[in-house]
Amino acid sequence: MTIDKSLKVKRGGISTRSVLTRVERLEKMRADGKFDPESDSPIGIPKTRVVKISMKKKKKTKEEG
């Protein structure tokens, strides 16, 4: 049985994730100083948003001549 063209995932399912996994969140919180593995529990930690980086296009300068 084949999959209809409209249901296929384009680009292999690569997309920007909106949240991190638990391990990634713990690493980010440790780097920010918000999580101490000795005293804090990894259960019930807050979700951490992924910062999307977009490249701005450079404006072309007008050449005088």
Side-chain angles (χ1 to χ4, degrees):
M1 190 168 177
T2 60
I3 297 175
D4 189 69
K5 282 192 267 184
S6 63
L7 298 174
K8 287 187 179 179
V9 179
K10 296 178 183 176
R11 292 192 287 156
I14 299 171
S15 63
T16 305
R17 299 180 301 167
S18 60
V19 292
L20 303 173
T21 62
R22 178 175 287 171
V23 174
E24 292 170 337
R25 282 186 276 161
L26 290 174
E27 289 173 0
K28 184 168 174 56
M29 290 175 68
R30 275 191 211 135
D32 294 340
K34 295 180 181 179
F35 181 78
D36 182 28
E38 300 296 325
S39 61
D40 296 332
S41 172
I43 299 173
I45 59 174
K47 291 185 179 179
T48 307
R49 281 205 149 297
V50 176
V51 178
K52 296 180 183 178
I53 299 173
S54 61
M55 300 297 288
K56 294 184 179 180
K57 295 182 180 179
K58 293 182 181 180
K59 293 184 180 179
K60 293 184 180 179
T61 58
K62 295 181 181 178
E63 293 182 20
E64 296 181 27

